[in-house]
Amino acid sequence: MQTSTRDSGAASVGRVRSYLSNMGPSWVAGAIAAGPATMGSLITGGGAFDYALFWVVVLSAVAGAFAQYLAMRLGVLTERGIVGVVADRLGDTWAWLLVLDVVVAAGVAQLLIMKTVASVSATVTGVDSRVWGVVWAVVLAAGLATRGYRFLETVAKLLVSVVVVAFVASLFVVPIDASAAVGGLVPSLPSGSALVAAGILGGAVHITLITMHSYTMRARGWTADDYDLATFDVVASMLVAFGIYSVAIYLVTASVLTSGDLSTVEAAQALGPFAGRFAEWLFLFGLLGAAVSTLGGNTIVPPFLLADKLGWGTTVEDDRYRGLLVAAALLSAPGAFIGGPVLSQLALVLAIGTVGTPFAIAVVLYLLNSPAVPESNSAVANLAGLALLVVSGALAANFVREQVAAGLGPLSGAILVFAVVLGLATVGVFGKYVRREGAFA
């Protein structure tokens, strides 16, 4: 019996080691989630609202992991890209709507992420940010077109780990108000916090992360036989690594900063207790690392979905897909020419992405409860998925309401139209589900 227990323990340790060495796809999603937009939202939230939004931070890690778990289930159980499954089960119109949703959300984010990369590069080197925008776009196009997904995955894991360590180190030397932090776990939305709250949640539960997962797993060749490895991958990257990243940044900034209207220099003060007079530089390099990994990960998402819808391959072996990658990379260069403060714009980008996320969640839930999947969702998973849909929808609605209340302009008007179209589409998905179930009743 003792030998059997020892053998079982050794087998478990061996399995964990194997999982650790083979995990990867969810880390690309984690690299996007742990990017400068999320960092900007966390810093703004901590500086402007102290610990009041801590509950959103914790919720974002749990919700992000669960959203990736649902996306993982769909990918490994169908062994196909999400767009192809949507086209088969819902029709071409719905598939194109999903592609459009992703292209808009990821495209807007791409421009602001490039602006971040170029701005930080300019601060570090003294070279004009517009020059850096062109340089990074060319480097990105060349890297993705020649080396492909596995290179991106390796860079993502490395950069996420470095950024996490930097902020965790600060967490140990910053005086955290434990009682205030615990109080921040009670849900509340202070006046003016809807944008920031939507940005924080949007960093983890985002349409690009949900839709890309089936394609990154296909790039690794994962099938239903890799279900346990894929689950471990999600937990390690989104729940553990991203969760620690989010909590550490938020607690540090809520303890140190006193303003949510931050410049890069002011945000660097979050690392002051750890890095002393080098705080600004450490923050800048951390922000640059997060931005570069996010830029690469975000670039591949629209080409994945568009190539799938057009019936093309989704690897660099297909020249048409490679062309989409190059185009997406080069089209990010104009982001370096956008004016205005970086961090506040990043929070807006994530909030816009949050508007498109409920539709993606509804589509995934529909497909997971359809004949497309040989093993349907459990009742608990469905209820948790619906709760995720309600929470993300409520934060998105709050954000849209706040934008409209501030006065309709070109941007707020576009956000309102985007929200209405996708809101109706989300209702339509549930209507199709009810009709389908009624037909089989």
Side-chain angles (χ1 to χ4, degrees):
M1 182 69 175
Q2 185 176 6
T3 302
S4 176
T5 302
R6 186 183 301 115
D7 291 343
S8 176
S12 297
V13 171
R15 187 179 303 110
V16 171
R17 286 177 178 171
S18 175
Y19 287 171
L20 287 171
S21 63
N22 287 293
M23 63 184 180
S26 194
W27 284 82
V28 178
I32 297 177
T38 300
M39 188 184 293
S41 294
L42 292 166
I43 290 172
T44 301
F49 303 103
D50 295 325
Y51 296 94
L53 296 180
F54 188 38
W55 69 275
V56 180
V57 178
V58 175
L59 174 65
S60 73
V62 176
F66 183 69
Q68 287 306 112
Y69 171 74
L70 292 178
M72 177 278 294
R73 276 183 57 81
L74 181 62
V76 297
L77 294 179
T78 62
E79 299 181 8
R80 299 179 60 192
I82 187 173
V83 170
V85 183
V86 170
D88 286 351
R89 295 294 168 182
L90 287 167
D92 280 343
T93 300
W94 296 90
W96 278 116
L97 184 58
L98 182 63
V99 172
L100 178 63
D101 189 2
V102 170
V103 168
V104 170
V108 172
Q110 187 78 356
L111 293 173
L112 267 298
I113 296 167
M114 175 57 85
K115 176 185 176 179
T116 305
V117 173
S119 297
V120 177
S121 299
T123 301
V124 171
T125 64
V127 177
D128 192 284
S129 62
R130 292 166 294 184
V131 174
W132 274 113
V134 174
V135 170
W136 277 114
V138 172
V139 169
L140 182 62
L144 290 178
T146 57
R147 305 196 65 179
Y149 167 77
R150 291 303 292 268
F151 173 71
L152 174 64
E153 184 182 286
T154 301
V155 172
K157 286 190 283 189
L158 175 63
L159 291 179
V160 169
S161 299
V162 170
V163 174
V164 168
V165 168
F167 275 98
V168 168
S170 278
L171 188 62
F172 284 102
V173 293
V174 167
I176 306 297
D177 187 336
S179 61
V182 171
L185 293 174
V186 178
S188 66
L189 281 176
S191 176
S193 67
L195 169 62
V196 178
I200 292 173
L201 184 67
V205 186
H206 196 278
I207 184 170
T208 56
L209 309 183
I210 295 169
T211 54
M212 75 181 293
H213 207 46
S214 57
Y215 300 99
T216 53
M217 289 189 297
R218 287 182 70 196
R220 286 292 297 268
W222 285 4
T223 67
D225 293 334
D226 300 294
Y227 189 93
D228 291 342
L229 170 59
T231 302
F232 182 90
D233 190 43
V234 168
V235 172
S237 63
M238 290 301 296
L239 186 61
V240 178
F242 177 75
I244 293 173
Y245 164 91
S246 300
V247 167
I249 291 178
Y250 189 84
L251 291 180
V252 166
T253 53
S255 302
V256 174
L257 300 182
T258 58
S259 171
D261 185 18
L262 302 169
S263 67
T264 304
V265 174
E266 290 169 331
Q269 294 172 4
L271 287 176
F274 169 60
R277 64 190 183 90
F278 298 107
E280 179 185 350
W281 289 102
L282 183 56
F283 174 81
L284 288 173
F285 281 114
L287 179 60
L288 181 62
V292 170
S293 65
T294 303
L295 185 68
N298 194 72
T299 302
I300 68 175
V301 182
F304 268 148
L305 275 74
L306 187 56
D308 189 12
K309 185 66 194 74
L310 295 173
W312 300 350
T314 53
T315 66
V316 290
E317 281 70 32
D318 190 315
D319 289 337
R320 296 167 298 183
Y321 172 72
R322 183 188 289 116
L324 288 177
L325 281 178
V326 171
L330 295 180
L331 287 173
S332 63
F337 294 79
I338 297 174
V342 175
L343 291 182
S344 59
Q345 291 173 339
L346 289 172
L348 177 62
V349 164
L350 280 185
I352 292 174
T354 302
V355 173
T357 299
F359 173 62
I361 296 172
V363 167
V364 169
L365 287 174
Y366 178 93
L367 296 175
L368 285 173
N369 289 278
S370 75
V373 178
E375 180 187 326
S376 294
N377 259 5
S378 66
V380 173
N382 282 331
L383 287 174
L386 288 173
L388 180 62
L389 177 62
V390 169
V391 171
S392 62
L395 284 175
N398 258 329
F399 161 63
V400 173
R401 179 184 57 78
E402 201 172 78
Q403 290 291 303
V404 173
L408 276 178
L411 178 59
S412 59
I415 291 172
L416 179 60
V417 171
F418 189 52
V420 169
V421 170
L422 293 178
L424 292 174
T426 302
V427 173
V429 170
F430 278 96
K432 289 179 74 70
Y433 175 77
V434 170
R435 289 195 298 272
R436 188 190 75 193
E437 291 302 300
F440 288 99

